[in-house]
Amino acid sequence: RKRAVWACISANFVNHWGYFVYLNWMPAYFNKVIGLNLTKSTFFSFVPWLVMAVMAYVSGRMGDLMVSSGMSKLTTRRILQ
């Protein structure tokens, strides 16, 4: 049981670390490498997060529909992950 808890904690830490890196690194990357000014790069940095939020909603709705149509939860999880 403890291993599962530590696995969740570790995965959560790594996931949040990735978010932190992207949020802080992407605007500087767009500015230095691509040459966009910070005003434009903030928009381009926002787009992946917007797509992620929309797709999280879409996949949640798809999962609900799949389970309500009789598909097993395990199969639904495998398809959507």
Side-chain angles (χ1 to χ4, degrees):
R1 233 164 132 79
K2 283 187 173 184
R3 289 175 65 189
V5 171
W6 279 108
C8 289
I9 291 170
S10 299
N12 196 19
F13 175 79
V14 170
N15 187 30
H16 282 85
W17 181 262
Y19 288 155
F20 175 78
V21 169
Y22 283 133
L23 285 173
N24 288 297
W25 171 76
M26 284 177 67
Y29 171 79
F30 286 142
N31 187 7
K32 291 178 184 175
V33 176
I34 300 175
L36 294 174
N37 66 29
L38 287 179
T39 304
K40 290 181 182 178
S41 68
T42 54
F43 171 75
F44 288 114
S45 295
F46 172 71
V47 171
W49 301 101
L50 177 63
V51 171
M52 182 180 67
V54 170
M55 291 311 296
Y57 174 77
V58 169
S59 64
R61 295 294 294 168
M62 283 177 54
D64 289 343
L65 290 172
M66 292 163 82
V67 170
S68 67
S69 71
M71 188 176 289
S72 73
K73 291 180 184 177
L74 180 62
T75 304
T76 301
R77 288 185 192 125
R78 286 179 179 166
I79 290 171
L80 292 176
Q81 288 184 357

